[in-house]
Amino acid sequence: MFIRTFEQTDYPVVKAIYQQGIDTGNATFQMTAKSWDEWNNSMLIHSRIVAVEDDHILGWAALSPISNREVYSGVAEVSIYVEASSQGKGVGQKLLSKLILESENNNIWMLQAAIFPENIGSLTLHQNNGFRQIGVREKLGKMNNVWRDVVLIERRSKVIGVSGN
């Protein structure tokens, strides 16, 4: 398995993996995968990666800006999805490790995510990569007529945005 830069031609597979995550009911409030234009416009142009094995995409990761304001240009939200049959095999770990490096190479000093508390695998993955819980947003939104909480987590770079940088 190796990690490479995302290419637009990867999007049909990326979209299918995204939809698998959506279908679990514990990955996102999104109900259907975004179109190419919606996805492309919502993600930063850099730090888009895929995990590949034998020419098969196993998962993807990308960053989205949290705001268009210049002061927040070093802060991004993490999206990471691994196809169901590849979960538990280290794909998420490889993707997140590479995403952190890519983010720092692009002057991102803080990564954040909002994860459903039921998504233990994602919470563990992020915590194992230096993310810390900063709070819980209770009843943030309704999904299938049920109020859902999200756990807010963040990771601050030790090399970007520190004193002297």
Side-chain angles (χ1 to χ4, degrees):
M1 174 186 12
F2 66 96
I3 307 298
R4 68 165 169 77
T5 301
F6 167 91
E7 299 168 3
Q8 184 177 346
T9 55
D10 296 329
Y11 191 68
V13 177
V14 163
K15 183 178 180 180
I17 293 169
Y18 186 24
Q19 188 62 51
Q20 279 184 357
I22 290 168
D23 292 345
T24 68
N26 285 325
T28 178
F29 279 110
Q30 189 81 21
M31 297 306 286
T32 58
K34 297 174 183 177
S35 70
W36 162 250
D37 286 337
E38 291 170 317
W39 188 89
N40 186 47
N41 291 330
S42 68
M43 299 295 174
L44 293 172
I45 199 69
H46 61 77
S47 305
R48 299 175 177 193
I49 55 176
V50 291
V52 180
E53 185 174 71
D54 299 325
D55 293 326
H56 177 73
I57 296 173
L58 308 175
W60 63 274
L63 298 176
S64 56
I66 62 136
S67 174
N68 291 329
R69 294 180 62 195
E70 181 64 28
V71 69
Y72 298 117
S73 63
V75 182
E77 184 165 350
V78 172
S79 291
I80 183 165
Y81 289 81
V82 176
E83 71 174 359
S85 63
S86 296
Q87 291 178 4
K89 299 178 180 177
V91 176
Q93 175 59 47
K94 288 188 187 228
L95 281 167
L96 190 51
S97 293
K98 179 66 171 174
L99 189 65
I100 290 167
L101 289 174
E102 290 287 320
S103 72
E104 291 175 336
N105 288 338
N106 286 282
N107 241 8
I108 302 294
W109 61 270
M110 189 175 81
L111 297 174
Q112 67 180 39
I115 302 173
F116 291 128
E118 297 85 359
N119 195 340
I120 302 298
S122 185
L123 286 169
T124 301
L125 171 65
H126 286 81
Q127 289 167 351
N128 288 344
N129 284 274
F131 285 75
R132 66 184 181 99
Q133 181 174 325
I134 58 171
V136 175
R137 295 184 79 181
E138 296 177 353
K139 297 182 180 178
L140 181 62
K142 277 190 176 180
M143 187 174 189
N144 298 320
N145 222 22
V146 175
W147 284 105
R148 300 291 300 268
D149 298 345
V150 295
V151 178
L152 298 176
I153 61 173
E154 70 176 23
R155 180 190 186 279
R156 294 183 181 253
S157 173
K158 293 183 182 2
V159 295
I160 303 298
V162 295
S163 181
N165 286 343

